[in-house]
PDB file of all heavy atoms in Angstrom:
ATOM      1  N   PHE A 111      15.817 -16.683   5.445  1.00 90.00           N
ATOM      2  CA  PHE A 111      14.792 -17.378   4.783  1.00 90.00           C
ATOM      3  C   PHE A 111      13.757 -16.350   4.162  1.00 90.00           C
ATOM      4  O   PHE A 111      13.303 -16.533   3.124  1.00 90.00           O
ATOM      5  CB  PHE A 111      14.029 -18.265   5.824  1.00 90.00           C
ATOM      6  CG  PHE A 111      12.894 -18.997   5.289  1.00 90.00           C
ATOM      7  CD1 PHE A 111      13.139 -20.067   4.429  1.00 90.00           C
ATOM      8  CD2 PHE A 111      11.612 -18.643   5.539  1.00 90.00           C
ATOM      9  CE1 PHE A 111      12.098 -20.784   3.908  1.00 90.00           C
ATOM     10  CE2 PHE A 111      10.530 -19.348   5.055  1.00 90.00           C
ATOM     11  CZ  PHE A 111      10.795 -20.426   4.197  1.00 90.00           C
ATOM     12  N   LEU A 112      13.521 -15.253   4.884  1.00 90.00           N
ATOM     13  CA  LEU A 112      12.692 -14.302   4.372  1.00 90.00           C
ATOM     14  C   LEU A 112      13.268 -13.523   3.108  1.00 90.00           C
ATOM     15  O   LEU A 112      12.517 -13.355   2.097  1.00 90.00           O
ATOM     16  CB  LEU A 112      12.414 -13.200   5.440  1.00 90.00           C
ATOM     17  CG  LEU A 112      11.599 -13.522   6.677  1.00 90.00           C
ATOM     18  CD1 LEU A 112      11.425 -12.386   7.637  1.00 90.00           C
ATOM     19  CD2 LEU A 112      10.248 -14.118   6.381  1.00 90.00           C
ATOM     20  N   ASP A 113      14.550 -13.272   3.118  1.00 89.00           N
ATOM     21  CA  ASP A 113      15.226 -12.750   1.991  1.00 89.00           C
ATOM     22  C   ASP A 113      15.077 -13.747   0.734  1.00 89.00           C
ATOM     23  O   ASP A 113      14.944 -13.289  -0.375  1.00 89.00           O
ATOM     24  CB  ASP A 113      16.629 -12.611   2.289  1.00 89.00           C
ATOM     25  CG  ASP A 113      16.924 -11.192   2.967  1.00 89.00           C
ATOM     26  OD1 ASP A 113      16.031 -10.349   2.746  1.00 89.00           O
ATOM     27  OD2 ASP A 113      17.865 -11.152   3.780  1.00 89.00           O
ATOM     28  N   PHE A 114      15.051 -15.024   1.066  1.00 90.00           N
ATOM     29  CA  PHE A 114      15.029 -16.079  -0.010  1.00 90.00           C
ATOM     30  C   PHE A 114      13.737 -16.102  -0.621  1.00 90.00           C
ATOM     31  O   PHE A 114      13.427 -16.015  -1.823  1.00 90.00           O
ATOM     32  CB  PHE A 114      15.369 -17.382   0.603  1.00 90.00           C
ATOM     33  CG  PHE A 114      15.055 -18.597  -0.273  1.00 90.00           C
ATOM     34  CD1 PHE A 114      15.704 -18.846  -1.481  1.00 90.00           C
ATOM     35  CD2 PHE A 114      14.044 -19.482   0.179  1.00 90.00           C
ATOM     36  CE1 PHE A 114      15.484 -19.956  -2.257  1.00 90.00           C
ATOM     37  CE2 PHE A 114      13.709 -20.581  -0.719  1.00 90.00           C
ATOM     38  CZ  PHE A 114      14.297 -20.823  -1.826  1.00 90.00           C
ATOM     39  N   ILE A 115      12.652 -16.055   0.248  1.00 89.00           N
ATOM     40  CA  ILE A 115      11.238 -16.038  -0.261  1.00 89.00           C
ATOM     41  C   ILE A 115      10.796 -14.784  -0.982  1.00 89.00           C
ATOM     42  O   ILE A 115      10.117 -14.812  -1.936  1.00 89.00           O
ATOM     43  CB  ILE A 115      10.307 -16.411   0.959  1.00 89.00           C
ATOM     44  CG1 ILE A 115      10.541 -17.701   1.554  1.00 89.00           C
ATOM     45  CG2 ILE A 115       8.800 -16.243   0.472  1.00 89.00           C
ATOM     46  CD1 ILE A 115      10.141 -18.835   0.709  1.00 89.00           C
ATOM     47  N   ARG A 116      11.272 -13.646  -0.505  1.00 86.00           N
ATOM     48  CA  ARG A 116      10.683 -12.401  -1.060  1.00 86.00           C
ATOM     49  C   ARG A 116      11.089 -12.184  -2.446  1.00 86.00           C
ATOM     50  O   ARG A 116      10.496 -11.368  -3.065  1.00 86.00           O
ATOM     51  CB  ARG A 116      11.083 -11.196  -0.150  1.00 86.00           C
ATOM     52  CG  ARG A 116      12.436 -10.682  -0.233  1.00 86.00           C
ATOM     53  CD  ARG A 116      12.840  -9.725   0.784  1.00 86.00           C
ATOM     54  NE  ARG A 116      14.099  -9.260   0.776  1.00 86.00           N
ATOM     55  CZ  ARG A 116      14.537  -8.076   0.285  1.00 86.00           C
ATOM     56  NH1 ARG A 116      13.597  -7.361  -0.279  1.00 86.00           N
ATOM     57  NH2 ARG A 116      15.758  -7.754   0.301  1.00 86.00           N
ATOM     58  N   TYR A 117      12.103 -12.844  -2.954  1.00 87.00           N
ATOM     59  CA  TYR A 117      12.476 -12.672  -4.409  1.00 87.00           C
ATOM     60  C   TYR A 117      11.730 -13.595  -5.230  1.00 87.00           C
ATOM     61  O   TYR A 117      11.840 -13.499  -6.484  1.00 87.00           O
ATOM     62  CB  TYR A 117      14.015 -12.908  -4.512  1.00 87.00           C
ATOM     63  CG  TYR A 117      14.810 -11.728  -4.034  1.00 87.00           C
ATOM     64  CD1 TYR A 117      15.425 -11.847  -2.824  1.00 87.00           C
ATOM     65  CD2 TYR A 117      14.826 -10.582  -4.747  1.00 87.00           C
ATOM     66  CE1 TYR A 117      16.171 -10.778  -2.332  1.00 87.00           C
ATOM     67  CE2 TYR A 117      15.556  -9.422  -4.202  1.00 87.00           C
ATOM     68  CZ  TYR A 117      16.304  -9.567  -3.054  1.00 87.00           C
ATOM     69  OH  TYR A 117      16.963  -8.497  -2.599  1.00 87.00           O
ATOM     70  N   MET A 118      10.830 -14.435  -4.733  1.00 88.00           N
ATOM     71  CA  MET A 118      10.024 -15.298  -5.631  1.00 88.00           C
ATOM     72  C   MET A 118       8.817 -14.492  -6.021  1.00 88.00           C
ATOM     73  O   MET A 118       8.188 -13.816  -5.238  1.00 88.00           O
ATOM     74  CB  MET A 118       9.543 -16.520  -4.760  1.00 88.00           C
ATOM     75  CG  MET A 118      10.736 -17.365  -4.302  1.00 88.00           C
ATOM     76  SD  MET A 118      10.134 -18.847  -3.349  1.00 88.00           S
ATOM     77  CE  MET A 118      11.690 -19.712  -3.068  1.00 88.00           C
ATOM     78  N   PRO A 119       8.551 -14.606  -7.308  1.00 88.00           N
ATOM     79  CA  PRO A 119       7.433 -13.774  -7.934  1.00 88.00           C
ATOM     80  C   PRO A 119       6.061 -14.276  -7.362  1.00 88.00           C
ATOM     81  O   PRO A 119       5.730 -15.475  -7.381  1.00 88.00           O
ATOM     82  CB  PRO A 119       7.450 -14.000  -9.410  1.00 88.00           C
ATOM     83  CG  PRO A 119       8.253 -15.221  -9.622  1.00 88.00           C
ATOM     84  CD  PRO A 119       9.154 -15.376  -8.372  1.00 88.00           C
ATOM     85  N   VAL A 120       5.163 -13.280  -6.909  1.00 88.00           N
ATOM     86  CA  VAL A 120       3.847 -13.602  -6.375  1.00 88.00           C
ATOM     87  C   VAL A 120       3.050 -14.222  -7.478  1.00 88.00           C
ATOM     88  O   VAL A 120       2.297 -15.158  -7.138  1.00 88.00           O
ATOM     89  CB  VAL A 120       3.318 -12.324  -5.805  1.00 88.00           C
ATOM     90  CG1 VAL A 120       1.904 -12.646  -5.196  1.00 88.00           C
ATOM     91  CG2 VAL A 120       4.119 -11.739  -4.695  1.00 88.00           C
ATOM     92  N   PHE A 123       2.722 -17.925  -7.681  1.00 89.00           N
ATOM     93  CA  PHE A 123       2.031 -18.601  -6.591  1.00 89.00           C
ATOM     94  C   PHE A 123       0.540 -18.688  -6.874  1.00 89.00           C
ATOM     95  O   PHE A 123      -0.210 -19.419  -6.192  1.00 89.00           O
ATOM     96  CB  PHE A 123       2.241 -17.855  -5.209  1.00 89.00           C
ATOM     97  CG  PHE A 123       3.576 -18.148  -4.657  1.00 89.00           C
ATOM     98  CD1 PHE A 123       4.605 -17.272  -4.830  1.00 89.00           C
ATOM     99  CD2 PHE A 123       3.795 -19.385  -3.918  1.00 89.00           C
ATOM    100  CE1 PHE A 123       5.867 -17.499  -4.316  1.00 89.00           C
ATOM    101  CE2 PHE A 123       5.041 -19.543  -3.371  1.00 89.00           C
ATOM    102  CZ  PHE A 123       6.094 -18.647  -3.513  1.00 89.00           C
ATOM    103  N   PHE A 148       6.270 -10.836   3.532  1.00 93.00           N
ATOM    104  CA  PHE A 148       7.702 -11.002   3.645  1.00 93.00           C
ATOM    105  C   PHE A 148       8.475  -9.631   3.633  1.00 93.00           C
ATOM    106  O   PHE A 148       9.407  -9.415   4.298  1.00 93.00           O
ATOM    107  CB  PHE A 148       8.176 -11.898   2.412  1.00 93.00           C
ATOM    108  CG  PHE A 148       7.576 -13.248   2.461  1.00 93.00           C
ATOM    109  CD1 PHE A 148       6.542 -13.657   1.734  1.00 93.00           C
ATOM    110  CD2 PHE A 148       8.180 -14.215   3.403  1.00 93.00           C
ATOM    111  CE1 PHE A 148       6.009 -14.946   1.840  1.00 93.00           C
ATOM    112  CE2 PHE A 148       7.645 -15.538   3.518  1.00 93.00           C
ATOM    113  CZ  PHE A 148       6.550 -15.891   2.766  1.00 93.00           C
ATOM    114  N   GLN A 149       7.876  -8.745   2.695  1.00 92.00           N
ATOM    115  CA  GLN A 149       8.429  -7.479   2.664  1.00 92.00           C
ATOM    116  C   GLN A 149       8.201  -6.607   4.041  1.00 92.00           C
ATOM    117  O   GLN A 149       9.136  -5.990   4.523  1.00 92.00           O
ATOM    118  CB  GLN A 149       7.904  -6.564   1.554  1.00 92.00           C
ATOM    119  CG  GLN A 149       7.882  -7.331   0.238  1.00 92.00           C
ATOM    120  CD  GLN A 149       9.326  -7.328  -0.437  1.00 92.00           C
ATOM    121  OE1 GLN A 149      10.187  -6.646   0.041  1.00 92.00           O
ATOM    122  NE2 GLN A 149       9.396  -8.116  -1.422  1.00 92.00           N
ATOM    123  N   LEU A 152      10.531  -7.654   6.972  1.00 94.00           N
ATOM    124  CA  LEU A 152      11.855  -7.165   6.948  1.00 94.00           C
ATOM    125  C   LEU A 152      11.891  -5.643   7.347  1.00 94.00           C
ATOM    126  O   LEU A 152      12.805  -5.138   8.028  1.00 94.00           O
ATOM    127  CB  LEU A 152      12.484  -7.377   5.584  1.00 94.00           C
ATOM    128  CG  LEU A 152      12.827  -8.897   5.259  1.00 94.00           C
ATOM    129  CD1 LEU A 152      13.160  -9.107   3.848  1.00 94.00           C
ATOM    130  CD2 LEU A 152      13.875  -9.434   6.170  1.00 94.00           C
TER     131      LEU A 152
END
Side-chain angles (χ1 to χ4, degrees):
F111 181 72
L112 294 180
D113 278 330
F114 168 66
I115 295 289
R116 75 188 178 100
Y117 285 105
M118 297 181 180
V120 180
F123 284 95
F148 298 99
Q149 310 287 349
L152 293 170

